[in-house]
PDB file of all heavy atoms in Angstrom:
ATOM      1  N   ALA A  26      14.368  62.663 -10.820  1.00 96.00           N
ATOM      2  CA  ALA A  26      13.890  64.004 -11.034  1.00 96.00           C
ATOM      3  C   ALA A  26      12.643  63.951 -11.874  1.00 96.00           C
ATOM      4  O   ALA A  26      11.716  64.784 -11.721  1.00 96.00           O
ATOM      5  CB  ALA A  26      14.960  64.944 -11.613  1.00 96.00           C
ATOM      6  N   GLU A  27      12.524  63.037 -12.815  1.00 96.00           N
ATOM      7  CA  GLU A  27      11.365  62.892 -13.698  1.00 96.00           C
ATOM      8  C   GLU A  27      10.201  62.130 -13.002  1.00 96.00           C
ATOM      9  O   GLU A  27       9.138  62.005 -13.631  1.00 96.00           O
ATOM     10  CB  GLU A  27      11.762  62.167 -14.991  1.00 96.00           C
ATOM     11  CG  GLU A  27      12.574  62.962 -15.871  1.00 96.00           C
ATOM     12  CD  GLU A  27      12.932  62.199 -17.190  1.00 96.00           C
ATOM     13  OE1 GLU A  27      12.515  61.038 -17.329  1.00 96.00           O
ATOM     14  OE2 GLU A  27      13.473  62.843 -18.098  1.00 96.00           O
ATOM     15  N   GLY A  28      10.489  61.537 -11.873  1.00 96.00           N
ATOM     16  CA  GLY A  28       9.555  60.738 -11.129  1.00 96.00           C
ATOM     17  C   GLY A  28       9.415  59.300 -11.519  1.00 96.00           C
ATOM     18  O   GLY A  28       8.544  58.571 -11.121  1.00 96.00           O
ATOM     19  N   ASP A  29      10.420  58.837 -12.308  1.00 95.00           N
ATOM     20  CA  ASP A  29      10.413  57.399 -12.670  1.00 95.00           C
ATOM     21  C   ASP A  29      11.267  56.688 -11.656  1.00 95.00           C
ATOM     22  O   ASP A  29      12.499  56.425 -11.920  1.00 95.00           O
ATOM     23  CB  ASP A  29      10.995  57.254 -14.100  1.00 95.00           C
ATOM     24  CG  ASP A  29      10.753  55.833 -14.703  1.00 95.00           C
ATOM     25  OD1 ASP A  29      10.703  54.901 -13.807  1.00 95.00           O
ATOM     26  OD2 ASP A  29      10.718  55.702 -15.870  1.00 95.00           O
ATOM     27  N   GLU A  30      10.734  56.333 -10.546  1.00 95.00           N
ATOM     28  CA  GLU A  30      11.519  55.701  -9.507  1.00 95.00           C
ATOM     29  C   GLU A  30      11.950  54.319  -9.790  1.00 95.00           C
ATOM     30  O   GLU A  30      13.003  53.913  -9.266  1.00 95.00           O
ATOM     31  CB  GLU A  30      10.685  55.800  -8.115  1.00 95.00           C
ATOM     32  CG  GLU A  30      11.452  55.406  -6.899  1.00 95.00           C
ATOM     33  CD  GLU A  30      12.799  56.118  -6.740  1.00 95.00           C
ATOM     34  OE1 GLU A  30      12.916  57.315  -6.955  1.00 95.00           O
ATOM     35  OE2 GLU A  30      13.819  55.453  -6.441  1.00 95.00           O
ATOM     36  N   SER A  31      11.232  53.589 -10.576  1.00 93.00           N
ATOM     37  CA  SER A  31      11.732  52.263 -10.921  1.00 93.00           C
ATOM     38  C   SER A  31      12.982  52.296 -11.667  1.00 93.00           C
ATOM     39  O   SER A  31      13.981  51.526 -11.450  1.00 93.00           O
ATOM     40  CB  SER A  31      10.633  51.443 -11.651  1.00 93.00           C
ATOM     41  OG  SER A  31      10.415  51.972 -12.950  1.00 93.00           O
ATOM     42  N   LEU A  32      13.054  53.183 -12.695  1.00 95.00           N
ATOM     43  CA  LEU A  32      14.397  53.335 -13.449  1.00 95.00           C
ATOM     44  C   LEU A  32      15.435  53.898 -12.580  1.00 95.00           C
ATOM     45  O   LEU A  32      16.586  53.515 -12.556  1.00 95.00           O
ATOM     46  CB  LEU A  32      14.161  54.249 -14.681  1.00 95.00           C
ATOM     47  CG  LEU A  32      13.705  53.572 -15.940  1.00 95.00           C
ATOM     48  CD1 LEU A  32      13.576  54.596 -17.045  1.00 95.00           C
ATOM     49  CD2 LEU A  32      14.653  52.428 -16.388  1.00 95.00           C
ATOM     50  N   ALA A  33      15.059  54.864 -11.706  1.00 97.00           N
ATOM     51  CA  ALA A  33      16.037  55.496 -10.790  1.00 97.00           C
ATOM     52  C   ALA A  33      16.662  54.463  -9.829  1.00 97.00           C
ATOM     53  O   ALA A  33      17.888  54.420  -9.693  1.00 97.00           O
ATOM     54  CB  ALA A  33      15.398  56.606 -10.032  1.00 97.00           C
ATOM     55  N   ALA A  34      15.791  53.658  -9.307  1.00 97.00           N
ATOM     56  CA  ALA A  34      16.327  52.597  -8.328  1.00 97.00           C
ATOM     57  C   ALA A  34      17.226  51.657  -9.007  1.00 97.00           C
ATOM     58  O   ALA A  34      18.225  51.224  -8.518  1.00 97.00           O
ATOM     59  CB  ALA A  34      15.149  51.876  -7.685  1.00 97.00           C
ATOM     60  N   LEU A  35      16.812  51.170 -10.246  1.00 96.00           N
ATOM     61  CA  LEU A  35      17.651  50.320 -10.947  1.00 96.00           C
ATOM     62  C   LEU A  35      19.021  50.862 -11.234  1.00 96.00           C
ATOM     63  O   LEU A  35      20.007  50.267 -11.059  1.00 96.00           O
ATOM     64  CB  LEU A  35      16.961  49.897 -12.348  1.00 96.00           C
ATOM     65  CG  LEU A  35      17.839  49.003 -13.214  1.00 96.00           C
ATOM     66  CD1 LEU A  35      18.025  47.581 -12.702  1.00 96.00           C
ATOM     67  CD2 LEU A  35      17.239  48.961 -14.648  1.00 96.00           C
ATOM     68  N   TYR A  36      19.024  52.129 -11.730  1.00 97.00           N
ATOM     69  CA  TYR A  36      20.278  52.708 -12.095  1.00 97.00           C
ATOM     70  C   TYR A  36      21.105  53.094 -10.862  1.00 97.00           C
ATOM     71  O   TYR A  36      22.341  53.028 -10.995  1.00 97.00           O
ATOM     72  CB  TYR A  36      20.054  53.879 -12.954  1.00 97.00           C
ATOM     73  CG  TYR A  36      19.892  53.485 -14.443  1.00 97.00           C
ATOM     74  CD1 TYR A  36      18.701  53.591 -15.062  1.00 97.00           C
ATOM     75  CD2 TYR A  36      20.938  52.848 -15.082  1.00 97.00           C
ATOM     76  CE1 TYR A  36      18.564  53.052 -16.366  1.00 97.00           C
ATOM     77  CE2 TYR A  36      20.794  52.307 -16.407  1.00 97.00           C
ATOM     78  CZ  TYR A  36      19.586  52.441 -16.951  1.00 97.00           C
ATOM     79  OH  TYR A  36      19.468  52.003 -18.288  1.00 97.00           O
ATOM     80  N   ARG A  37      20.485  53.314  -9.762  1.00 98.00           N
ATOM     81  CA  ARG A  37      21.293  53.453  -8.502  1.00 98.00           C
ATOM     82  C   ARG A  37      22.009  52.194  -8.118  1.00 98.00           C
ATOM     83  O   ARG A  37      23.277  52.160  -7.824  1.00 98.00           O
ATOM     84  CB  ARG A  37      20.436  53.910  -7.346  1.00 98.00           C
ATOM     85  CG  ARG A  37      20.198  55.361  -7.204  1.00 98.00           C
ATOM     86  CD  ARG A  37      19.570  55.763  -5.850  1.00 98.00           C
ATOM     87  NE  ARG A  37      18.192  55.225  -5.714  1.00 98.00           N
ATOM     88  CZ  ARG A  37      17.139  55.804  -6.179  1.00 98.00           C
ATOM     89  NH1 ARG A  37      17.207  56.959  -6.855  1.00 98.00           N
ATOM     90  NH2 ARG A  37      15.932  55.241  -5.943  1.00 98.00           N
ATOM     91  N   ALA A  38      21.288  51.057  -8.180  1.00 97.00           N
ATOM     92  CA  ALA A  38      21.917  49.762  -7.876  1.00 97.00           C
ATOM     93  C   ALA A  38      23.042  49.365  -8.831  1.00 97.00           C
ATOM     94  O   ALA A  38      24.100  48.966  -8.484  1.00 97.00           O
ATOM     95  CB  ALA A  38      20.839  48.716  -7.723  1.00 97.00           C
ATOM     96  N   LEU A  39      22.744  49.541 -10.144  1.00 98.00           N
ATOM     97  CA  LEU A  39      23.739  49.204 -11.157  1.00 98.00           C
ATOM     98  C   LEU A  39      24.910  50.125 -11.088  1.00 98.00           C
ATOM     99  O   LEU A  39      26.038  49.710 -11.308  1.00 98.00           O
ATOM    100  CB  LEU A  39      23.073  49.264 -12.552  1.00 98.00           C
ATOM    101  CG  LEU A  39      21.966  48.202 -12.837  1.00 98.00           C
ATOM    102  CD1 LEU A  39      21.411  48.397 -14.204  1.00 98.00           C
ATOM    103  CD2 LEU A  39      22.416  46.816 -12.602  1.00 98.00           C
ATOM    104  N   GLY A  40      24.689  51.420 -10.796  1.00 97.00           N
ATOM    105  CA  GLY A  40      25.857  52.331 -10.664  1.00 97.00           C
ATOM    106  C   GLY A  40      26.761  51.908  -9.527  1.00 97.00           C
ATOM    107  O   GLY A  40      27.996  52.006  -9.676  1.00 97.00           O
ATOM    108  N   ASP A  41      26.166  51.518  -8.366  1.00 97.00           N
ATOM    109  CA  ASP A  41      26.955  51.072  -7.241  1.00 97.00           C
ATOM    110  C   ASP A  41      27.849  49.882  -7.656  1.00 97.00           C
ATOM    111  O   ASP A  41      29.035  49.736  -7.253  1.00 97.00           O
ATOM    112  CB  ASP A  41      26.056  50.692  -6.132  1.00 97.00           C
ATOM    113  CG  ASP A  41      25.447  51.945  -5.406  1.00 97.00           C
ATOM    114  OD1 ASP A  41      25.856  53.039  -5.760  1.00 97.00           O
ATOM    115  OD2 ASP A  41      24.526  51.711  -4.635  1.00 97.00           O
ATOM    116  N   ALA A  42      27.270  48.941  -8.446  1.00 98.00           N
ATOM    117  CA  ALA A  42      28.061  47.779  -8.862  1.00 98.00           C
ATOM    118  C   ALA A  42      29.154  48.178  -9.785  1.00 98.00           C
ATOM    119  O   ALA A  42      30.300  47.671  -9.673  1.00 98.00           O
ATOM    120  CB  ALA A  42      27.096  46.763  -9.550  1.00 98.00           C
ATOM    121  N   GLU A  43      28.953  49.148 -10.666  1.00 98.00           N
ATOM    122  CA  GLU A  43      29.912  49.573 -11.584  1.00 98.00           C
ATOM    123  C   GLU A  43      31.121  50.202 -10.773  1.00 98.00           C
ATOM    124  O   GLU A  43      32.290  49.971 -11.157  1.00 98.00           O
ATOM    125  CB  GLU A  43      29.432  50.567 -12.579  1.00 98.00           C
ATOM    126  CG  GLU A  43      28.340  50.066 -13.527  1.00 98.00           C
ATOM    127  CD  GLU A  43      28.704  48.821 -14.284  1.00 98.00           C
ATOM    128  OE1 GLU A  43      29.586  48.941 -15.137  1.00 98.00           O
ATOM    129  OE2 GLU A  43      28.091  47.802 -14.068  1.00 98.00           O
ATOM    130  N   ASP A  44      30.778  50.899  -9.697  1.00 98.00           N
ATOM    131  CA  ASP A  44      31.893  51.470  -8.884  1.00 98.00           C
ATOM    132  C   ASP A  44      32.734  50.369  -8.254  1.00 98.00           C
ATOM    133  O   ASP A  44      33.981  50.454  -8.336  1.00 98.00           O
ATOM    134  CB  ASP A  44      31.192  52.346  -7.765  1.00 98.00           C
ATOM    135  CG  ASP A  44      32.265  53.208  -7.021  1.00 98.00           C
ATOM    136  OD1 ASP A  44      33.213  53.663  -7.593  1.00 98.00           O
ATOM    137  OD2 ASP A  44      32.000  53.268  -5.785  1.00 98.00           O
ATOM    138  N   ARG A  45      32.107  49.330  -7.764  1.00 98.00           N
ATOM    139  CA  ARG A  45      32.811  48.184  -7.222  1.00 98.00           C
ATOM    140  C   ARG A  45      33.748  47.573  -8.261  1.00 98.00           C
ATOM    141  O   ARG A  45      34.854  47.115  -8.005  1.00 98.00           O
ATOM    142  CB  ARG A  45      31.848  47.139  -6.597  1.00 98.00           C
ATOM    143  CG  ARG A  45      31.260  47.507  -5.293  1.00 98.00           C
ATOM    144  CD  ARG A  45      30.533  46.346  -4.647  1.00 98.00           C
ATOM    145  NE  ARG A  45      29.777  45.480  -5.541  1.00 98.00           N
ATOM    146  CZ  ARG A  45      28.527  45.696  -5.998  1.00 98.00           C
ATOM    147  NH1 ARG A  45      27.886  46.794  -5.548  1.00 98.00           N
ATOM    148  NH2 ARG A  45      27.938  44.805  -6.807  1.00 98.00           N
ATOM    149  N   HIS A  46      33.147  47.397  -9.484  1.00 98.00           N
ATOM    150  CA  HIS A  46      33.873  46.734 -10.536  1.00 98.00           C
ATOM    151  C   HIS A  46      35.165  47.616 -10.981  1.00 98.00           C
ATOM    152  O   HIS A  46      36.198  47.051 -11.171  1.00 98.00           O
ATOM    153  CB  HIS A  46      33.050  46.592 -11.792  1.00 98.00           C
ATOM    154  CG  HIS A  46      31.810  45.651 -11.549  1.00 98.00           C
ATOM    155  ND1 HIS A  46      30.814  45.610 -12.414  1.00 98.00           N
ATOM    156  CD2 HIS A  46      31.542  44.869 -10.526  1.00 98.00           C
ATOM    157  CE1 HIS A  46      29.917  44.688 -12.002  1.00 98.00           C
ATOM    158  NE2 HIS A  46      30.298  44.297 -10.861  1.00 98.00           N
ATOM    159  N   ALA A  47      34.998  48.888 -10.992  1.00 98.00           N
ATOM    160  CA  ALA A  47      36.118  49.765 -11.298  1.00 98.00           C
ATOM    161  C   ALA A  47      37.242  49.580 -10.298  1.00 98.00           C
ATOM    162  O   ALA A  47      38.393  49.472 -10.719  1.00 98.00           O
ATOM    163  CB  ALA A  47      35.647  51.214 -11.353  1.00 98.00           C
ATOM    164  N   GLU A  48      36.886  49.552  -9.045  1.00 98.00           N
ATOM    165  CA  GLU A  48      37.866  49.419  -7.989  1.00 98.00           C
ATOM    166  C   GLU A  48      38.548  48.045  -8.042  1.00 98.00           C
ATOM    167  O   GLU A  48      39.741  47.896  -7.828  1.00 98.00           O
ATOM    168  CB  GLU A  48      37.320  49.679  -6.611  1.00 98.00           C
ATOM    169  CG  GLU A  48      37.081  51.127  -6.396  1.00 98.00           C
ATOM    170  CD  GLU A  48      38.229  51.999  -6.584  1.00 98.00           C
ATOM    171  OE1 GLU A  48      39.398  51.645  -6.117  1.00 98.00           O
ATOM    172  OE2 GLU A  48      38.117  53.066  -7.179  1.00 98.00           O
ATOM    173  N   LEU A  49      37.788  46.973  -8.396  1.00 98.00           N
ATOM    174  CA  LEU A  49      38.288  45.671  -8.575  1.00 98.00           C
ATOM    175  C   LEU A  49      39.352  45.659  -9.640  1.00 98.00           C
ATOM    176  O   LEU A  49      40.523  45.090  -9.472  1.00 98.00           O
ATOM    177  CB  LEU A  49      37.247  44.681  -8.810  1.00 98.00           C
ATOM    178  CG  LEU A  49      37.664  43.205  -9.199  1.00 98.00           C
ATOM    179  CD1 LEU A  49      38.481  42.574  -8.062  1.00 98.00           C
ATOM    180  CD2 LEU A  49      36.506  42.403  -9.589  1.00 98.00           C
ATOM    181  N   TYR A  50      39.010  46.163 -10.840  1.00 98.00           N
ATOM    182  CA  TYR A  50      40.001  46.176 -11.951  1.00 98.00           C
ATOM    183  C   TYR A  50      41.198  46.976 -11.614  1.00 98.00           C
ATOM    184  O   TYR A  50      42.348  46.533 -11.928  1.00 98.00           O
ATOM    185  CB  TYR A  50      39.323  46.768 -13.200  1.00 98.00           C
ATOM    186  CG  TYR A  50      38.504  45.682 -13.952  1.00 98.00           C
ATOM    187  CD1 TYR A  50      37.111  45.973 -14.162  1.00 98.00           C
ATOM    188  CD2 TYR A  50      39.096  44.601 -14.576  1.00 98.00           C
ATOM    189  CE1 TYR A  50      36.348  45.045 -14.841  1.00 98.00           C
ATOM    190  CE2 TYR A  50      38.283  43.684 -15.306  1.00 98.00           C
ATOM    191  CZ  TYR A  50      36.932  43.947 -15.456  1.00 98.00           C
ATOM    192  OH  TYR A  50      36.138  43.048 -16.173  1.00 98.00           O
TER     193      TYR A  50
END
């Protein structure tokens, strides 16, 4: 929303990984 697409893309990818990790645990 702030226009910082590089941070947004990083956090989208990392967020997806955290979701997988939660399900694994």
Side-chain angles (χ1 to χ4, degrees):
E27 290 182 352
D29 191 335
E30 190 49 44
S31 67
L32 274 179
L35 174 70
Y36 279 112
R37 272 192 296 277
L39 295 179
D41 289 347
E43 300 303 296
D44 189 38
R45 287 192 318 275
H46 298 168
E48 287 304 317
L49 171 62
Y50 279 117

